[in-house]
Amino acid sequence: MPFVRYGVLSGTLHRHHRDRPDSQGRWFHVNLEVDAPAGRHHCAVDVDSHASAVGVRWKTFTLPAEALGPAAALAASPGYHELPRTPDSGALDYVRHPELADRSGILFTRRPPSWLQDLLELVDSRPWHAGSNVDAALALESILVPGQHVLVFGEPFDDDPDGDLGMHNVHQNQGDPAGSQWWVENGTWQDGATLTRRPDGAYDLFLNKFSSQSDRTDAAGHPVA
């Protein structure tokens, strides 16, 4: 089933740091510390696994505030905001949001052949990138400036053992394949992302997903061919 809770944290970036690499295969994160009225929030952004064949893909680009629709208005109200999983709530969906969706998805209702997909990504100004966890971390860190306003979309921590405020599942949350442990959490309009506001009011976006996740999904968020 989709997440019980989904929303966005609006606040000010205090600092960020990476997980310490280890040999246990844990998911590797860039950790954001975000100040909001309830306190300092810990936001864990997935940027690959230290010892897993399941890699991460990411993209960064800039959008004017108006292109984000209702989401941009939340910057004026710091704190955590619960979002209905609908197109007009401010929720994000990598597949369906007109400013986030791959352009090839607009042209094709089914995945194009691999050679054509590669060509489309070459001419697309917003291609997905693949690389190491360090590459992904560097891409995210390039848009992080302490004191900057940030919007972090994902699932709030409800059962953190340390009692932390914050967000996790800050990545695509649909398209996981049948048989995976995350299949049951697939859903539309519940994707995570990290947005930082520039001095001119525009937003830099960091979108991230796992290489095992499909970029074509049905109404339940499950992958389609």
Side-chain angles (χ1 to χ4, degrees):
M1 59 178 293
F3 294 149
V4 174
R5 299 187 65 197
Y6 168 76
V8 59
L9 173 66
S10 172
T12 302
L13 180 65
H14 173 67
R15 71 181 187 108
H16 66 273
H17 64 278
R18 301 179 188 178
D19 281 348
R20 292 182 178 272
D22 60 28
S23 59
Q24 300 175 15
R26 70 181 182 188
W27 298 108
F28 187 76
H29 305 88
V30 172
N31 300 279
L32 281 57
E33 296 178 22
V34 179
D35 290 332
R40 184 157 293 162
H41 293 64
H42 167 220
C43 303
V45 184
D46 293 89
V47 289
D48 212 343
S49 168
H50 180 58
S52 170
V54 178
V56 123
R57 301 181 74 195
W58 69 91
K59 64 171 69 177
T60 57
F61 55 93
T62 304
L63 287 177
E66 56 268 22
L68 296 172
L74 298 173
S77 181
Y80 172 75
H81 302 271
E82 195 80 14
L83 296 177
R85 287 179 288 276
T86 60
D88 57 355
S89 70
L92 300 185
D93 188 306
Y94 290 7
V95 178
R96 295 163 182 81
H97 193 292
E99 296 292 344
L100 307 186
D102 288 343
R103 295 178 186 182
S104 59
I106 299 172
L107 300 173
F108 298 92
T109 57
R110 299 175 65 85
R111 180 187 291 274
S114 59
W115 65 268
L116 182 52
Q117 181 69 39
D118 292 342
L119 179 61
L120 287 166
E121 290 199 356
L122 282 175
V123 300
D124 192 342
S125 62
R126 301 172 187 169
W128 287 102
H129 300 283
S132 70
N133 53 0
V134 174
D135 295 330
L138 287 170
L140 171 56
E141 290 166 348
S142 72
I143 69 168
L144 300 178
V145 179
Q148 194 172 33
H149 191 88
V150 297
L151 295 172
V152 183
F153 290 79
E155 183 182 22
F157 285 123
D158 284 331
D159 56 358
D160 187 271
D162 298 321
D164 282 352
L165 296 167
M167 307 288 284
H168 66 142
N169 283 324
V170 185
H171 52 72
Q172 179 171 304
N173 292 304
Q174 59 181 309
D176 280 296
S180 80
Q181 68 186 87
W182 299 285
W183 164 270
V184 296
E185 294 184 345
N186 282 336
T188 61
W189 295 101
Q190 61 168 21
D191 287 331
T194 307
L195 285 65
T196 59
R197 189 170 61 191
R198 299 160 61 104
D200 64 3
Y203 281 86
D204 291 324
L205 287 74
F206 178 84
L207 309 186
N208 48 312
K209 65 179 181 179
F210 297 109
S211 58
S212 56
Q213 292 176 314
S214 174
D215 55 7
R216 300 289 187 277
T217 61
D218 62 20
H222 296 315
V224 295

